[in-house]
Short mmCIF file of all heavy atoms in Angstrom, two decimals:
data_model
loop_
_atom_site.label_atom_id
_atom_site.label_comp_id
_atom_site.label_asym_id
_atom_site.label_seq_id
_atom_site.Cartn_x
_atom_site.Cartn_y
_atom_site.Cartn_z
N VAL A 8 -20.09 -12.96 -8.05
CA VAL A 8 -19.18 -13.57 -7.08
C VAL A 8 -17.99 -12.64 -6.84
O VAL A 8 -17.73 -11.71 -7.61
CB VAL A 8 -18.68 -14.95 -7.56
CG1 VAL A 8 -19.82 -15.92 -7.71
CG2 VAL A 8 -17.90 -14.82 -8.87
N GLU A 9 -17.27 -12.92 -5.78
CA GLU A 9 -15.99 -12.28 -5.50
C GLU A 9 -14.90 -13.31 -5.69
O GLU A 9 -15.15 -14.53 -5.64
CB GLU A 9 -15.98 -11.71 -4.08
CG GLU A 9 -17.01 -10.63 -3.83
CD GLU A 9 -16.94 -10.08 -2.42
OE1 GLU A 9 -15.98 -10.43 -1.69
OE2 GLU A 9 -17.85 -9.32 -2.03
N LEU A 10 -13.67 -12.84 -5.89
CA LEU A 10 -12.58 -13.78 -6.15
C LEU A 10 -12.39 -14.76 -5.00
O LEU A 10 -12.01 -15.91 -5.22
CB LEU A 10 -11.28 -13.00 -6.41
CG LEU A 10 -11.19 -12.25 -7.74
CD1 LEU A 10 -9.84 -11.58 -7.88
CD2 LEU A 10 -11.44 -13.19 -8.91
N LYS A 11 -12.67 -14.31 -3.78
CA LYS A 11 -12.51 -15.21 -2.64
C LYS A 11 -13.48 -16.39 -2.72
O LYS A 11 -13.22 -17.46 -2.16
CB LYS A 11 -12.71 -14.45 -1.32
CG LYS A 11 -14.11 -13.89 -1.14
CD LYS A 11 -14.22 -13.12 0.18
CE LYS A 11 -15.62 -12.57 0.38
NZ LYS A 11 -15.74 -11.80 1.65
N ASP A 12 -14.61 -16.20 -3.41
CA ASP A 12 -15.57 -17.29 -3.56
C ASP A 12 -15.03 -18.42 -4.44
O ASP A 12 -15.54 -19.54 -4.39
CB ASP A 12 -16.88 -16.78 -4.17
CG ASP A 12 -17.55 -15.72 -3.30
OD1 ASP A 12 -17.47 -15.84 -2.07
OD2 ASP A 12 -18.15 -14.78 -3.87
N LEU A 13 -14.01 -18.11 -5.25
CA LEU A 13 -13.46 -19.09 -6.19
C LEU A 13 -12.33 -19.92 -5.59
O LEU A 13 -11.84 -20.84 -6.24
CB LEU A 13 -12.98 -18.39 -7.46
CG LEU A 13 -14.04 -17.56 -8.19
CD1 LEU A 13 -13.44 -16.90 -9.43
CD2 LEU A 13 -15.23 -18.42 -8.60
N GLU A 14 -11.89 -19.57 -4.38
CA GLU A 14 -10.84 -20.32 -3.68
C GLU A 14 -9.67 -20.64 -4.60
O GLU A 14 -9.27 -21.80 -4.77
CB GLU A 14 -11.42 -21.61 -3.09
CG GLU A 14 -12.50 -21.39 -2.05
CD GLU A 14 -12.98 -22.68 -1.42
OE1 GLU A 14 -12.13 -23.55 -1.13
OE2 GLU A 14 -14.20 -22.85 -1.25
N LEU A 15 -9.11 -19.59 -5.20
CA LEU A 15 -8.01 -19.78 -6.15
C LEU A 15 -6.77 -20.30 -5.43
O LEU A 15 -6.51 -19.95 -4.28
CB LEU A 15 -7.72 -18.46 -6.86
CG LEU A 15 -8.90 -17.90 -7.66
CD1 LEU A 15 -8.58 -16.52 -8.19
CD2 LEU A 15 -9.27 -18.84 -8.81
N ALA A 16 -5.99 -21.10 -6.15
CA ALA A 16 -4.82 -21.74 -5.56
C ALA A 16 -3.80 -20.71 -5.12
O ALA A 16 -3.66 -19.64 -5.72
CB ALA A 16 -4.20 -22.71 -6.56
N GLU A 17 -3.07 -21.01 -4.05
CA GLU A 17 -2.06 -20.09 -3.55
C GLU A 17 -0.96 -19.91 -4.59
O GLU A 17 -0.55 -20.84 -5.28
CB GLU A 17 -1.44 -20.64 -2.26
CG GLU A 17 -2.41 -20.68 -1.09
CD GLU A 17 -1.74 -21.13 0.19
OE1 GLU A 17 -0.50 -21.26 0.18
OE2 GLU A 17 -2.45 -21.36 1.19
N GLY A 18 -0.48 -18.66 -4.69
CA GLY A 18 0.59 -18.35 -5.63
C GLY A 18 0.12 -18.11 -7.05
O GLY A 18 0.92 -17.92 -7.95
N TRP A 19 -1.23 -18.08 -7.23
CA TRP A 19 -1.75 -17.92 -8.59
C TRP A 19 -1.49 -16.56 -9.17
O TRP A 19 -1.44 -16.38 -10.37
CB TRP A 19 -3.26 -18.17 -8.59
CG TRP A 19 -4.03 -17.19 -7.78
CD1 TRP A 19 -4.30 -17.25 -6.45
CD2 TRP A 19 -4.62 -15.97 -8.22
NE1 TRP A 19 -5.02 -16.17 -6.02
CE2 TRP A 19 -5.23 -15.36 -7.10
CE3 TRP A 19 -4.70 -15.32 -9.44
CZ2 TRP A 19 -5.90 -14.15 -7.17
CZ3 TRP A 19 -5.37 -14.11 -9.51
CH2 TRP A 19 -5.96 -13.53 -8.39
N GLY A 20 -1.30 -15.51 -8.32
CA GLY A 20 -1.22 -14.15 -8.83
C GLY A 20 0.17 -13.61 -8.99
O GLY A 20 0.44 -12.47 -8.65
N MET A 21 1.11 -14.42 -9.49
CA MET A 21 2.50 -13.96 -9.58
C MET A 21 2.82 -13.25 -10.88
O MET A 21 3.81 -12.57 -10.99
CB MET A 21 3.43 -15.16 -9.40
CG MET A 21 3.30 -15.82 -8.04
SD MET A 21 3.50 -14.65 -6.67
CE MET A 21 5.19 -14.14 -6.92
N ASP A 22 1.97 -13.40 -11.90
CA ASP A 22 2.33 -12.77 -13.17
C ASP A 22 1.09 -12.54 -14.01
O ASP A 22 0.16 -13.32 -13.99
CB ASP A 22 3.31 -13.67 -13.95
CG ASP A 22 3.65 -13.07 -15.31
OD1 ASP A 22 4.09 -11.91 -15.35
OD2 ASP A 22 3.47 -13.76 -16.31
N VAL A 23 1.09 -11.44 -14.70
CA VAL A 23 0.07 -11.18 -15.72
C VAL A 23 0.80 -11.09 -17.04
O VAL A 23 1.65 -10.24 -17.22
CB VAL A 23 -0.69 -9.87 -15.44
CG1 VAL A 23 -1.62 -9.55 -16.60
CG2 VAL A 23 -1.51 -10.03 -14.16
N SER A 24 0.48 -11.96 -17.96
CA SER A 24 1.22 -12.03 -19.22
C SER A 24 1.26 -10.69 -19.93
O SER A 24 0.24 -10.06 -20.18
CB SER A 24 0.58 -13.09 -20.13
OG SER A 24 1.25 -13.15 -21.36
N GLY A 25 2.47 -10.28 -20.24
CA GLY A 25 2.63 -9.08 -21.05
C GLY A 25 2.78 -7.79 -20.26
O GLY A 25 3.07 -6.75 -20.83
N THR A 26 2.58 -7.81 -18.93
CA THR A 26 2.68 -6.57 -18.16
C THR A 26 3.87 -6.55 -17.23
O THR A 26 4.36 -5.49 -16.87
CB THR A 26 1.43 -6.36 -17.30
OG1 THR A 26 1.38 -7.38 -16.30
CG2 THR A 26 0.16 -6.42 -18.12
N GLY A 27 4.35 -7.73 -16.80
CA GLY A 27 5.41 -7.76 -15.82
C GLY A 27 4.95 -7.37 -14.44
O GLY A 27 5.76 -7.16 -13.55
N LEU A 28 3.64 -7.28 -14.25
CA LEU A 28 3.08 -6.89 -12.96
C LEU A 28 2.48 -8.10 -12.28
O LEU A 28 2.03 -9.03 -12.92
CB LEU A 28 1.98 -5.83 -13.16
CG LEU A 28 2.41 -4.49 -13.74
CD1 LEU A 28 1.15 -3.67 -14.03
CD2 LEU A 28 3.31 -3.74 -12.79
N PRO A 29 2.47 -8.09 -10.94
CA PRO A 29 1.72 -9.14 -10.24
C PRO A 29 0.26 -9.10 -10.65
O PRO A 29 -0.28 -8.04 -10.92
CB PRO A 29 1.91 -8.77 -8.76
CG PRO A 29 3.13 -7.92 -8.72
CD PRO A 29 3.14 -7.18 -10.02
N SER A 30 -0.36 -10.26 -10.68
CA SER A 30 -1.77 -10.31 -11.06
C SER A 30 -2.61 -9.48 -10.11
O SER A 30 -2.45 -9.53 -8.91
CB SER A 30 -2.25 -11.76 -11.03
OG SER A 30 -3.55 -11.85 -11.50
N GLY A 31 -3.52 -8.69 -10.69
CA GLY A 31 -4.38 -7.84 -9.89
C GLY A 31 -3.83 -6.45 -9.69
O GLY A 31 -4.52 -5.57 -9.20
N GLN A 32 -2.56 -6.20 -10.06
CA GLN A 32 -1.99 -4.87 -9.90
C GLN A 32 -2.22 -4.06 -11.16
O GLN A 32 -1.88 -4.46 -12.25
CB GLN A 32 -0.48 -4.98 -9.60
CG GLN A 32 0.19 -3.62 -9.41
CD GLN A 32 1.65 -3.76 -9.03
OE1 GLN A 32 2.03 -4.73 -8.41
NE2 GLN A 32 2.47 -2.81 -9.42
N LYS A 33 -2.81 -2.90 -10.99
CA LYS A 33 -3.15 -2.08 -12.15
C LYS A 33 -1.97 -1.23 -12.61
O LYS A 33 -1.10 -0.85 -11.83
CB LYS A 33 -4.31 -1.14 -11.79
CG LYS A 33 -5.56 -1.89 -11.34
CD LYS A 33 -6.20 -2.60 -12.49
CE LYS A 33 -7.50 -3.26 -12.07
NZ LYS A 33 -8.18 -3.94 -13.15
N ILE A 34 -1.94 -0.94 -13.92
CA ILE A 34 -0.95 -0.02 -14.44
C ILE A 34 -1.20 1.36 -13.86
O ILE A 34 -2.33 1.83 -13.80
CB ILE A 34 -1.03 0.05 -15.98
CG1 ILE A 34 -0.67 -1.32 -16.58
CG2 ILE A 34 -0.11 1.12 -16.53
CD1 ILE A 34 -0.79 -1.36 -18.08
N LYS A 35 -0.15 2.01 -13.40
CA LYS A 35 -0.30 3.34 -12.82
C LYS A 35 -0.51 4.36 -13.93
O LYS A 35 -0.51 4.05 -15.11
CB LYS A 35 0.93 3.68 -11.98
CG LYS A 35 1.09 2.77 -10.76
CD LYS A 35 2.29 3.18 -9.93
CE LYS A 35 2.42 2.28 -8.71
NZ LYS A 35 3.60 2.64 -7.89
N ALA A 36 -0.69 5.60 -13.55
CA ALA A 36 -1.02 6.66 -14.50
C ALA A 36 0.03 6.75 -15.60
O ALA A 36 1.23 6.65 -15.34
CB ALA A 36 -1.14 7.99 -13.76
N LEU A 37 -0.45 6.95 -16.82
CA LEU A 37 0.43 7.17 -17.96
C LEU A 37 0.48 8.66 -18.27
O LEU A 37 -0.54 9.34 -18.25
CB LEU A 37 -0.09 6.42 -19.19
CG LEU A 37 -0.06 4.89 -19.17
CD1 LEU A 37 -0.62 4.35 -20.47
CD2 LEU A 37 1.37 4.38 -18.95
N SER A 38 1.65 9.15 -18.57
CA SER A 38 1.81 10.55 -18.97
C SER A 38 1.94 10.60 -20.48
O SER A 38 2.86 10.01 -21.06
CB SER A 38 3.06 11.16 -18.30
OG SER A 38 2.89 11.20 -16.89
N LEU A 39 0.99 11.30 -21.11
CA LEU A 39 0.96 11.40 -22.57
C LEU A 39 0.81 12.85 -22.97
O LEU A 39 0.69 13.74 -22.13
CB LEU A 39 -0.21 10.58 -23.12
CG LEU A 39 -0.25 9.09 -22.76
CD1 LEU A 39 -1.58 8.50 -23.18
CD2 LEU A 39 0.89 8.34 -23.41
N ASN A 40 0.84 13.08 -24.28
CA ASN A 40 0.62 14.42 -24.82
C ASN A 40 -0.56 14.40 -25.78
O ASN A 40 -0.75 13.45 -26.53
CB ASN A 40 1.87 14.93 -25.55
CG ASN A 40 3.05 15.11 -24.62
OD1 ASN A 40 3.94 14.27 -24.56
ND2 ASN A 40 3.06 16.21 -23.88
N CYS A 41 -1.34 15.46 -25.73
CA CYS A 41 -2.49 15.58 -26.62
C CYS A 41 -2.00 15.62 -28.07
O CYS A 41 -1.09 16.41 -28.40
CB CYS A 41 -3.27 16.85 -26.28
SG CYS A 41 -4.59 17.23 -27.46
N PRO A 42 -2.54 14.81 -28.98
CA PRO A 42 -2.09 14.83 -30.37
C PRO A 42 -2.45 16.11 -31.12
O PRO A 42 -1.91 16.35 -32.20
CB PRO A 42 -2.82 13.62 -30.98
CG PRO A 42 -4.00 13.40 -30.10
CD PRO A 42 -3.57 13.80 -28.73
N GLN A 43 -3.30 16.96 -30.55
CA GLN A 43 -3.67 18.20 -31.19
C GLN A 43 -2.82 19.38 -30.74
O GLN A 43 -2.32 20.15 -31.56
CB GLN A 43 -5.15 18.52 -30.92
CG GLN A 43 -6.13 17.71 -31.74
CD GLN A 43 -6.00 17.98 -33.23
OE1 GLN A 43 -5.41 17.17 -33.95
NE2 GLN A 43 -6.52 19.09 -33.69
N CYS A 44 -2.67 19.55 -29.42
CA CYS A 44 -1.96 20.72 -28.91
C CYS A 44 -0.66 20.37 -28.19
O CYS A 44 0.05 21.27 -27.73
CB CYS A 44 -2.86 21.52 -27.97
SG CYS A 44 -3.21 20.69 -26.40
N ALA A 45 -0.37 19.08 -28.07
CA ALA A 45 0.83 18.58 -27.38
C ALA A 45 0.81 18.89 -25.89
O ALA A 45 1.81 18.74 -25.20
CB ALA A 45 2.10 19.15 -28.00
#
C-alpha cells in the first residue's frame, strides 16, 4: 500500500518523537570522521 491508501488524519505528520523533524522528513547528511584515519 501507499500512505494515501490509509487516509491518515489531517495534521498527523507534525512530529517524529526524538528527532524534532516533521513526520516523513529525513535527517540530512551527517558529517563524520573515519575512526581509523580521521
Side-chain angles (χ1 to χ4, degrees):
V8 298
E9 297 181 8
L10 288 183
K11 64 181 181 181
D12 299 325
L13 303 180
E14 298 184 42
L15 299 174
E17 293 184 8
W19 64 273
M21 297 306 297
D22 178 55
V23 173
S24 178
T26 67
L28 296 172
S30 185
Q32 180 176 331
K33 301 290 184 179
I34 295 177
K35 295 182 179 180
L37 292 180
S38 295
L39 303 170
N40 295 100
C41 173
Q43 283 297 102
C44 70

